[in-house]
Coordinates of all heavy atoms in Angstrom, one line a residue:
G259 N 0.8 -1.2 0.0 CA 0.0 0.0 0.0 C 0.8 1.3 0.0 O 0.5 2.3 -0.6
V260 N 1.9 1.3 0.7 CA 2.9 2.3 0.8 C 3.4 2.6 -0.6 O 3.4 3.6 -1.2 CB 4.0 2.2 1.8 CG1 5.2 3.2 1.6 CG2 3.5 2.2 3.1
L261 N 3.8 1.6 -1.3 CA 4.4 1.7 -2.7 C 3.4 2.2 -3.7 O 3.7 3.0 -4.5 CB 5.0 0.3 -3.2 CG 6.4 0.1 -2.8 CD1 6.7 0.0 -1.3 CD2 7.0 -1.3 -3.4
V262 N 2.2 1.5 -3.6 CA 1.2 2.1 -4.4 C 0.8 3.5 -4.3 O 0.7 4.4 -5.2 CB -0.1 1.2 -4.5 CG1 -1.4 1.8 -5.1 CG2 0.1 -0.3 -4.9
G263 N 0.7 4.0 -3.0 CA 0.3 5.3 -2.7 C 1.5 6.2 -3.2 O 1.2 7.4 -3.7
A264 N 2.7 5.8 -2.9 CA 3.9 6.8 -3.4 C 3.9 6.7 -4.8 O 4.3 7.9 -5.4 CB 5.2 6.1 -2.8
H265 N 3.6 5.7 -5.5 CA 3.5 5.6 -7.0 C 2.6 6.7 -7.6 O 2.9 7.6 -8.3 CB 3.3 4.4 -7.6 CG 3.0 4.3 -9.1 ND1 4.0 4.4 -10.0 CD2 1.9 4.1 -9.7 CE1 3.6 4.2 -11.1 NE2 2.1 4.1 -11.1
K266 N 1.3 6.6 -7.0 CA 0.3 7.7 -7.4 C 0.6 9.0 -7.1 O 0.4 10.0 -7.9 CB -1.0 7.2 -6.7 CG -1.7 5.9 -7.3 CD -3.0 5.6 -6.6 CE -3.8 4.6 -7.1 NZ -5.1 4.2 -6.4
E267 N 1.1 9.3 -5.9 CA 1.4 10.7 -5.5 C 2.7 11.2 -6.3 O 2.6 12.3 -6.7 CB 1.8 10.7 -4.0 CG 0.5 10.5 -3.1 CD -0.5 11.6 -3.3 OE1 0.0 12.8 -3.3 OE2 -1.7 11.2 -3.3
S268 N 3.5 10.4 -6.6 CA 4.7 10.8 -7.4 C 4.2 11.3 -8.8 O 4.7 12.3 -9.3 CB 5.7 9.7 -7.6 OG 6.4 9.5 -6.4
I269 N 3.4 10.5 -9.4 CA 2.9 10.9 -10.7 C 2.1 12.2 -10.7 O 2.1 13.0 -11.4 CB 2.0 9.6 -11.3 CG1 2.8 8.5 -11.6 CG2 1.1 10.1 -12.4 CD1 2.1 7.2 -12.1
A270 N 1.3 12.3 -9.6 CA 0.5 13.5 -9.3 C 1.4 14.7 -9.2 O 1.0 15.9 -9.6 CB -0.4 13.4 -8.2
H271 N 2.5 14.6 -8.7 CA 3.5 15.7 -8.6 C 4.4 15.8 -9.8 O 5.4 16.7 -9.7 CB 4.3 15.5 -7.3 CG 3.6 15.8 -6.1 ND1 2.7 14.9 -5.4 CD2 3.5 16.9 -5.3 CE1 2.3 15.5 -4.3 NE2 2.7 16.6 -4.2
G272 N 4.2 15.1 -10.9 CA 5.1 15.2 -12.0 C 6.2 14.4 -11.9 O 7.1 14.6 -12.7
G273 N 6.4 13.5 -11.0 CA 7.6 12.7 -10.9 C 7.4 11.2 -11.2 O 6.3 10.8 -11.8
A274 N 8.1 10.3 -10.6 CA 8.0 9.0 -10.8 C 8.6 8.1 -9.6 O 9.6 8.6 -9.0 CB 8.6 8.5 -12.1
L275 N 7.9 7.0 -9.3 CA 8.6 6.2 -8.3 C 9.4 5.0 -8.9 O 8.9 4.4 -9.9 CB 7.4 5.5 -7.4 CG 8.0 4.5 -6.3 CD1 8.8 5.3 -5.3 CD2 6.9 3.7 -5.8
I276 N 10.6 4.9 -8.5 CA 11.4 3.8 -9.1 C 11.8 2.9 -8.0 O 12.3 3.4 -7.0 CB 12.7 4.5 -9.8 CG1 12.3 5.3 -10.8 CG2 13.6 3.3 -10.3 CD1 13.4 6.1 -11.5
V277 N 11.5 1.6 -8.1 CA 11.8 0.6 -7.1 C 13.2 -0.1 -7.5 O 13.2 -0.6 -8.7 CB 10.6 -0.4 -6.9 CG1 11.0 -1.5 -5.9 CG2 9.4 0.3 -6.6
V278 N 14.0 -0.1 -6.6 CA 15.3 -0.8 -6.9 C 15.6 -1.9 -5.8 O 15.4 -1.8 -4.7 CB 16.5 0.3 -6.8 CG1 17.8 -0.3 -7.0 CG2 16.2 1.4 -7.8
G279 N 16.2 -3.0 -6.4 CA 16.7 -4.0 -5.5 C 15.9 -4.9 -4.8 O 16.1 -5.3 -3.6
P280 N 14.5 -5.2 -5.2 CA 13.7 -6.1 -4.4 C 14.4 -7.4 -4.3 O 14.8 -7.9 -5.2 CB 12.4 -6.0 -5.1 CG 12.7 -5.7 -6.6 CD 13.9 -4.8 -6.5
Q281 N 14.3 -7.9 -3.0 CA 14.9 -9.2 -2.8 C 13.9 -10.3 -3.3 O 12.8 -10.0 -3.5 CB 15.1 -9.4 -1.3 CG 16.2 -8.5 -0.7 CD 17.5 -8.6 -1.4 OE1 18.1 -9.7 -1.5 NE2 18.0 -7.6 -2.0
P282 N 14.3 -11.6 -3.4 CA 13.5 -12.6 -4.1 C 12.1 -12.7 -3.5 O 11.1 -12.7 -4.3 CB 14.3 -13.9 -3.9 CG 15.6 -13.4 -3.8 CD 15.6 -12.1 -3.1
R283 N 11.9 -12.6 -2.2 CA 10.5 -12.6 -1.6 C 9.7 -11.4 -2.0 O 8.5 -11.6 -2.3 CB 10.6 -12.9 -0.1 CG 11.1 -14.2 0.4 CD 11.3 -14.3 1.9 NE 10.1 -14.1 2.5 CZ 10.0 -14.1 3.9 NH1 11.0 -14.2 4.6 NH2 8.8 -14.0 4.4
V284 N 10.3 -10.2 -1.9 CA 9.6 -9.1 -2.2 C 9.3 -9.0 -3.7 O 8.2 -8.6 -4.2 CB 10.4 -7.9 -1.8 CG1 9.7 -6.6 -2.3 CG2 10.6 -7.9 -0.3
R285 N 10.3 -9.5 -4.6 CA 10.0 -9.4 -6.1 C 8.9 -10.4 -6.4 O 8.1 -10.1 -7.3 CB 11.3 -9.8 -6.8 CG 11.1 -9.8 -8.3 CD 12.3 -10.0 -9.1 NE 13.3 -8.8 -9.2 CZ 13.1 -7.8 -10.0 NH1 12.1 -7.7 -10.8 NH2 14.0 -6.9 -10.0
K286 N 8.8 -11.5 -5.7 CA 7.8 -12.5 -5.9 C 6.4 -11.8 -5.6 O 5.4 -12.0 -6.4 CB 7.9 -13.7 -5.0 CG 6.9 -14.9 -5.3 CD 7.2 -16.1 -4.5 CE 6.3 -17.2 -4.8 NZ 6.5 -18.4 -4.0
I287 N 6.3 -11.1 -4.5 CA 5.0 -10.3 -4.2 C 4.7 -9.4 -5.2 O 3.5 -9.3 -5.7 CB 5.2 -9.7 -2.9 CG1 5.3 -10.7 -1.7 CG2 4.0 -8.8 -2.6 CD1 5.7 -10.1 -0.4
L288 N 5.6 -8.6 -5.8 CA 5.3 -7.7 -6.9 C 4.9 -8.4 -8.1 O 4.0 -7.9 -8.9 CB 6.6 -6.9 -7.2 CG 7.2 -5.9 -6.1 CD1 8.5 -5.3 -6.4 CD2 6.2 -4.9 -5.7
K289 N 5.5 -9.6 -8.4 CA 5.2 -10.3 -9.6 C 3.7 -10.9 -9.4 O 2.8 -10.8 -10.4 CB 6.1 -11.4 -9.8 CG 5.9 -12.2 -11.2 CD 6.9 -13.3 -11.4 CE 6.7 -13.9 -12.7 NZ 7.7 -14.8 -13.0

């Protein structure tokens, strides 16, 4: 939820959220 909210807010401010280095368990959740 934090990541989704930050992504939406970044776009609203003209920016972008970039996620770097997710570990295997976290990457699996993202997938």
Side-chain angles (χ1 to χ4, degrees):
V260 171
L261 270 60
V262 170
H265 172 73
K266 287 181 177 182
E267 290 294 319
S268 289
I269 291 171
H271 284 82
L275 177 70
I276 300 172
V277 177
V278 176
Q281 296 302 304
R283 288 174 65 186
V284 173
R285 186 173 281 278
K286 185 176 181 180
I287 291 169
L288 295 175
K289 185 174 184 175

